[in-house]
Each structure stands twice: as C-alpha cells, then as structure tokens.
Amino acid sequence: MPTPAPTASIRFPSVDRVANHTRALALAKTFGRPAVIEAIRDELDERRTRLVGGFDGTAPASADEAQVIDGAQTRIERLFQPGLRPVFNMTGTVLHTNLGRAPMPQEAIDAIAAVATGASNLEFDLAAGVRGDRDDHVENLITRLTGAEAATVVNNNAAAVLLVLNALALKREVPVSRGELIEIGGSFRLPDIMARAGCKLCEVGTTNRTHLADFAAAINPRTALVMKAHTSNFIVQGFTATAPERALAALCRERGVPFVNDLGCGSLIDLAAYGLPQEPTVRSAIDNGADIVTFSGDKLLGGPQAGIIAGRADLIAKIKRSPLKRALRVDKMTMAALSAVLRLYLDPERLCARLPTLRLLTRSVDSIRACAARVQPVLAASLAGWATIAPINCASEIGSGSQPLEKLPSAGLSINPLAARGRGTALKRLSSAMRALPVPVIGRIENDLMVLDFRCVEDADALIAQLAHLSVPQ
Ligand SMILES: *Cc1c(COP(=O)(O)O)cnc(C)c1O
C-alpha cells in the first residue's frame, strides 16, 4: 500500500468557522456577508488544490485561519476596487486613446453631476412643454463655433462616419481617394466601415496622387456622395497630389452630390495661433465647401467621447431620421459634458486656462521641467541603490492621430537601472511596479531607459504621494 499523502493530515477550518472570526466579521461590515463568505470559500478551495498539487516543491498551502483571512481579504479588496480608475499619463502622448484621451474640465464634471443624479430635460422642451430633441442642448453651440447650419451628435466619430454613410449612401457609390483609405487603429478601416454602412466604395486615383479629374470621372448617377478622410495618422511625402478641397467641393456641387469630410480630430480653433502644429479646423472645412463634416468630441476638442456631425440642414435632418441614429445616440452625461466644453469655447481668452487638453498641449517646457525637478529627489530616494534618476529633455505628441510627425518639446525624468545585466528584465519589473501603485504611473521605455514625460502631470504632489511608495522587487 502506498503511504498516504501528507494532505490527509492537514485539516482546513470550515467556511463557517473562518467567517465568524472577528476579522472576518469586520470585513463583513464593510463589504457585506455574502462577499466575505464567497471569498473565504474561494480561498480555502485554492489552498486545498495547492496542497494536493503541492508535491512539485512548492510550499504547501497553510490551513492557518489568520492566513486564510488574509487571502480572503485580498480577494475582496480586489473585487471591490473599481476596474476603471485614474492613472498618471507619463507617456508623453497627450490624447492617448488607451488612457482615455481628453482630460475633462471641471465645468464638464459639474455639468455631468448636475444631471446624472436625477431627472433632466434631456428630451423635453421646457419653454413649450412638449417633447424635445437631445441635440438641442448642443446644436446651437456647434453651429455658432463652426459656421455649419445644423448638427447632431453620436457615440464617437466612427459612429458618425458609419451613420452618415448609411443614411446618405445606402446601396450607392462613394468615391474616395486611394490615398485616403485609412485605418485609424483598432478596427476602424474606412473600406470596412463603408461595407458595414451598406455602401459601395469606389476607389479613385492612386496611393500618392489623386486629381480632381479622377473624381470628375468617377461621379455618375449611382454616386451618393464624395468622401474625403483626413489622413491624420500618417504622411505621404514626395511625388504627391490631392484634389484641392475647394475645387472638389465645387465639382460635387455642380454634379449635385454632397461632399463629406471626415476630419477626425477636427479642431474648433486655429492651433497655430497657440504655437502648435496646424490642424484643419471644422470651420475651415465648412468654409471650403464641405456639406457634412465629422469629428471626435474627445480628441482636440477636449471633451467627452462623442462623434459630431455638422453641416447642411437638409442632410442633417435626413441623418437624424435614420434608425441607426437611435442606436448610436449619446446619453445625458455626454450631452451635459459636451455642452459645458463647447461653452468654454465661447470665451477664447480663458480657453487655454480652462480646457485641460489645450492647457497641456501649450504648457511651457519650463513649467514641465520645474514639476519634474520637484519629483526627482523623491523618486531618487525610493529607488536608491536600484537606479539613478536624471532630468531629461524629451518630446511629447498630441496623439489620437493628430500630427503624428510633429513633436512638442517637453521635459521629464529618466530612470536608469543600476543592474549591469538583465536591464530588459529590470525595466519590465520597474514598469510593473509603477503600474501596481494605487494610482498607476504609465511611462515609456526608450533607449533602454524608463522615460517619464511630465507634460500631463500638473499635480506634482499627487505624483510624489505615489512614487514615495515605489519599490521594485530585486
Ligand atoms: C479618430 C478618427 C476617427 C475615429 O474617431 P473615434 O472618435 O475614435 O471613433 C475617424 N476618422 C478619422 C480621420 C479619425 O482621425
């Protein structure tokens, strides 16, 4: 007979017994008894399997009650921690899609709070006492700021493009330059969106050169509209040509087809006036003859995620009648935030101070450097004996496909692990320790160093409070 496995000699306490321990009772006060019972059960189950499978040299799980409660507490705290939480964006990319794009102004937060907790006039016309339209809360502002006749808002710009194509070009042809058949990232590829919208892409010109004559030849009675997409995230250089926007708009008008311009970022202000790289403004696109423009709410506009469709009143009315509009519409919180952000634009003189996206993009290198200098000694103390910290000049990006080649001079700190060997592993451990902080810190690895770009850090004290706890496992 084989000797019995040592598991047999370890007795685990019952779930009930652990649940009645004073510490478990205290946890139940905070998190509720069902969650505590479940966590204890899971913890005990895991310890039992570890014990059974523990002959490969791993330490056998302990059946000690206090340790079981420790494990259960970790499980509960993890369960109750929000999955979505703030991080420090030290990547140098201001509008970072994976990090939530535009930070919102306090005015938008207040506006969200004001409508989120109760009833609102989202679709109720208070003056007339009849049913209203949710777009009414922002349409006036959008038309005033862009020169468009009318506007509507959907979930994001991808939805805006989908809706426009579906509402205006279902089962019909849409000529697009081969140089503008873009992929924005993720699964937004213009040819795929066209297919899903139910329209027929009609490729025009070549990758590097598309002429007005190419469009003139492509427009026929089956053409629904002509589409232009802003090539926001790449640049074609060398022997290139595009059909001039005004001439293309005039051609469309002459042939009786709408001209749709997907701007993507769609700035509402002239960024060059702030010393930033130029982006086409929504107003300039309308002035150049676009019948419809589409752009994001959370890119350069600096607001909540949204897709804005602005342009000719008759086309907007048609777009709003589409059943897809209902499926793609935004909620009251987005409306409240978008309206608040748009109202900031009515006062251009204070815009830069109040709109975080613009404030971060225009921040002086001196102010960024001063912030880094305050944090440097704290970080150096936390990582003493493990890494050296040095001030650096670095380069930020606008992000979200805006001006991919233009860099904004910035400043920060580099972290240089002392380890002579295994630097790759050391940097990975460092990144992971920074991500494990209560407010995770996300930097970037560049030239075998960890680089922290301070452009998006306005509150040095909050960062210091995090980094003071940083410790990297050896
Ligand atoms: C970003 C972008 C989109 C997609 O916008 P989302 O708001 O991310 O949905 C579409 N077209 C262009 C040109 C873009 O730059």
Side-chain angles (χ1 to χ4, degrees), residues 101 156-158 182 184 188 230 232 262-265 296 299:
R101 287 196 188 157
N156 56 17
N157 191 38
I182 51 173
I184 297 302
F188 185 94
H230 183 44
S232 45
D262 174 25
L263 280 179
C265 282
S296 295
K299 291 184 179 173

Side-chain angles (χ1 to χ4, degrees), residues 40 47 50 88 92 154 227 257 452:
I40 293 171
R47 281 168 185 260
R50 258 203 286 151
F88 282 99
V154 289
M227 175 138 185
V257 292
L452 302 179

Side-chain angles (χ1 to χ4, degrees), residues 339 428 451:
S339 162
K428 267 195 196 133
V451 169

Side-chain angles (χ1 to χ4, degrees), residues 38-39 50 54 67 89 97 138 165 184 188 204 220 225 268 288 323 326 342 348 387 403 407 411 413 437 445:
E38 193 185 316
R50 258 203 286 151
Q67 285 192 32
N89 174 8
T97 298
V138 290
L165 289 170
I184 297 302
F188 185 94
V204 169
N220 66 58
L225 55 88
L268 294 181
N288 287 340
R326 169 66 191 252
L342 291 171
Q403 298 292 342
K407 302 284 182 190
L413 298 174
L437 290 167
I445 292 173

Side-chain angles (χ1 to χ4, degrees), residues 237-446:
Q237 276 179 324
F239 187 53
T240 64
T242 50
E245 225 169 291
R246 276 174 183 275
L248 186 52
L251 172 71
C252 291
R253 206 171 313 122
E254 189 188 304
R255 307 287 283 272
V257 292
F259 175 43
V260 174
N261 191 346
D262 174 25
L263 280 179
C265 282
S267 181
L268 294 181
I269 49 171
D270 177 15
L271 291 181
Y274 292 87
L276 291 167
Q278 192 129 36
E279 264 289 322
T281 65
V282 179
R283 186 179 286 278
S284 70
I286 299 274
D287 284 349
N288 287 340
D291 295 297
I292 290 288
V293 290
T294 54
F295 56 101
S296 295
D298 56 352
K299 291 184 179 173
L300 285 173
L301 195 149
Q305 180 188 303
I308 298 165
I309 307 171
R312 252 168 57 191
D314 59 326
L315 298 175
I316 296 290
K318 193 166 176 195
I319 289 164
K320 288 178 71 153
R321 283 196 300 272
S322 159
L324 260 190
K325 168 68 174 40
R326 169 66 191 252
L328 301 173
R329 73 186 185 186
V330 298
D331 73 329
K332 59 187 174 187
M333 292 184 282
T334 300
M335 275 301 179
L338 183 59
S339 162
V341 170
L342 291 171
R343 275 179 273 130
L344 296 184
Y345 280 89
L346 299 178
D347 181 1
E349 269 164 30
R350 285 195 294 164
L351 184 64
C352 208
R354 293 160 93 193
L355 191 69
T357 298
L358 190 59
R359 190 169 71 227
L360 294 176
L361 289 173
T362 55
R363 205 172 159 197
S364 78
V365 181
D366 282 347
S367 129
I368 302 173
R369 193 176 289 124
C371 187
R374 280 195 54 208
V375 176
Q376 183 177 355
V378 180
L379 190 55
S382 296
L383 296 179
W386 192 87
T388 54
I389 316 297
I392 48 159
N393 292 318
C394 53
S396 316
E397 286 177 27
I398 297 178
S400 275
S402 196
Q403 298 292 342
L405 301 189
E406 300 272 0
K407 302 284 182 190
L408 310 175
S410 186
L413 298 174
S414 69
I415 307 178
N416 187 2
L418 294 173
R421 289 172 32 179
R423 289 180 61 83
T425 314
L427 287 169
K428 267 195 196 133
R429 286 212 182 108
L430 174 62
S431 313
S432 128
M434 293 193 333
R435 290 197 310 272
L437 290 167
V439 181
V441 174
I442 318 289
R444 66 170 195 263
I445 292 173
E446 200 174 272

